[in-house]
Amino acid sequence: MQTALDVETRALLAKLLRSERVGALGTLRDGAPLVSMVPFLAEEDFSAFWLHVSRLAWHTQDMLREPRVALSIAQTDDRRTDPYALARVAIRADAAQLPGDSEHAGRLKRAWLARFGQSHIHFELADFSFWRLAPRDARFVAGLGRIHNLSADAVRAAARGPERP
Amino acid sequence: MQTALDVETRALLAKLLRSERVGALGTLRDGAPLVSMVPFLAEEDFSAFWLHVSRLAWHTQDMLREPRVALSIAQTDDRRTDPYALARVAIRADAAQLPGDSEHAGRLKRAWLARFGQSHIHFELADFSFWRLAPRDARFVAGLGRIHNLSADAVRAAARGPERP
């Protein structure tokens, strides 16, 4: 069952998606799951999550074959006694490569470098490109037992803040 | 191609597997990947990685149907400029539930509580049980471009320290 989030929970989700920088990408490889750490950037309105990956990487080869992927974003472990209380969201998404010469790619590159300064080296490598992950749905665990199944619309609603629910 | 690790790289892998507390579990759901944050505990000799999960959780239902899973363990993001330099390992494993009344389960419970003190609440819930993840292979990225494909044996070798390679 999918639910709408209250103001406080929307703010928690927005904070999680904007403050964390690395996620875990699940792809399909030989019919079984593979999970890889990936830096990511959330689109302002949460309509997409961007990756910048090498076509030499296993997960990129996987996405070329099977666009259905998952991205887990978890609150950084602050060494609290019970890690099950950490906030996390599992997004199921469709992945598509962004053409390198698009206007969008230029804008993204600036946003990416603003977040990951040192990573300009990756833009000098021909095998790196942006991939767009468009959410199909999400499962947000705001803390112990606080589980919310969300539509892609509900994820986008979290980007709009308290004034515009 | 699978490689043997040098002493320094084995120590890096052992440190990663012992010091991190939460990983990202990849399971298969409706033919597509799902990724969930999970606390984990490495067996002393790295022959297994233990989870303590609820049978109500999606990932547990997935593992009951399809034992092939993946566990990604990444160095906690320390906000360095290039997150691609973080160490991480993607383990592909077979999952099996541990019978709750086994002697092993008692020993594991003590080890689990020593690591995750507050989580004793989960042991009072009937739906939680231990699952054993036995590695099939692993992909260890020790840093930018330092990629090692490892057999399950090579993962275990990292547990033995520098004296016994």
Side-chain angles (χ1 to χ4, degrees):
Chain A
M1 203 187 66
Q2 293 186 336
T3 50
L5 298 179
D6 62 27
V7 173
E8 187 206 4
T9 312
R10 283 207 306 276
L12 269 175
L13 178 57
K15 187 180 171 216
L16 178 68
L17 294 174
R18 291 192 176 125
S19 63
E20 296 301 329
R21 307 190 313 162
V22 296
L25 176 70
T27 57
L28 200 63
R29 190 167 192 84
D30 302 329
L34 178 74
V35 182
S36 316
M37 186 210 77
V38 285
F40 75 92
L41 180 65
E43 185 71 50
E44 191 67 30
D45 65 357
F46 296 165
S47 62
F49 295 82
W50 295 96
L51 310 181
H52 192 236
V53 290
S54 164
R55 86 179 136 69
L56 304 176
W58 280 11
H59 45 261
T60 309
Q61 295 165 8
D62 293 346
M63 291 193 292
L64 284 166
R65 284 191 212 100
E66 169 57 67
R68 288 181 302 168
V69 300
L71 181 68
S72 168
I73 299 164
Q75 187 182 351
T76 301
D77 185 8
D78 53 9
R79 300 282 155 171
R80 65 183 67 191
T81 41
D82 188 357
Y84 273 114
L86 294 166
R88 67 273 192 186
V89 62
I91 299 168
R92 293 193 290 184
D94 294 313
Q97 190 171 8
L98 186 74
D101 54 359
S102 70
E103 194 182 321
H104 203 154
R107 187 178 66 79
L108 258 180
K109 179 179 173 180
R110 287 188 294 277
W112 192 270
L113 288 177
R115 193 173 209 198
F116 307 112
Q118 199 73 26
S119 62
H120 59 82
I121 180 177
H122 302 303
F123 290 94
E124 289 153 26
L125 304 171
D127 55 294
F128 270 78
S129 64
F130 282 112
W131 280 72
R132 181 179 196 270
L133 270 48
R136 290 198 311 274
D137 61 20
R139 193 166 167 90
F140 176 41
V141 185
L144 200 61
R146 294 162 61 195
I147 300 173
H148 305 276
N149 291 321
L150 303 175
S151 65
D153 276 351
V155 174
R156 281 198 300 276
R160 290 196 293 269
E163 283 78 23
R164 297 176 293 160
Chain B
M1 202 187 69
Q2 293 185 336
T3 50
L5 298 179
D6 62 28
V7 173
E8 186 206 5
T9 311
R10 282 208 305 277
L12 269 175
L13 177 56
K15 186 179 171 217
L16 178 68
L17 294 174
R18 291 191 177 124
S19 63
E20 296 301 329
R21 307 190 312 162
V22 297
L25 175 70
T27 56
L28 200 63
R29 190 168 191 83
D30 303 328
L34 178 75
V35 182
S36 316
M37 186 210 77
V38 285
F40 75 93
L41 181 66
E43 185 70 52
E44 191 65 30
D45 65 358
F46 296 165
S47 63
F49 295 83
W50 295 97
L51 310 181
H52 191 235
V53 291
S54 164
R55 86 179 135 69
L56 305 175
W58 280 10
H59 45 260
T60 309
Q61 296 164 7
D62 293 346
M63 290 193 292
L64 285 166
R65 283 191 213 101
E66 169 57 68
R68 289 181 303 168
V69 301
L71 181 68
S72 168
I73 299 164
Q75 188 181 351
T76 302
D77 185 8
D78 54 9
R79 300 283 156 170
R80 64 184 66 192
T81 41
D82 187 358
Y84 273 115
L86 294 166
R88 66 272 191 187
V89 61
I91 299 168
R92 293 191 291 185
D94 294 313
Q97 191 171 7
L98 185 73
D101 54 359
S102 71
E103 194 181 324
H104 203 154
R107 186 177 68 78
L108 257 181
K109 180 179 172 180
R110 287 188 293 277
W112 193 269
L113 288 177
R115 193 173 210 199
F116 307 113
Q118 199 73 25
S119 62
H120 59 81
I121 180 178
H122 301 303
F123 289 94
E124 290 153 24
L125 304 171
D127 55 294
F128 269 79
S129 63
F130 282 112
W131 280 72
R132 180 179 197 271
L133 270 49
R136 289 198 311 275
D137 61 19
R139 194 167 167 90
F140 177 40
V141 185
L144 199 62
R146 294 162 62 195
I147 300 172
H148 305 276
N149 292 321
L150 303 175
S151 65
D153 276 351
V155 174
R156 281 199 300 275
R160 290 196 294 269
E163 284 78 22
R164 296 177 293 160

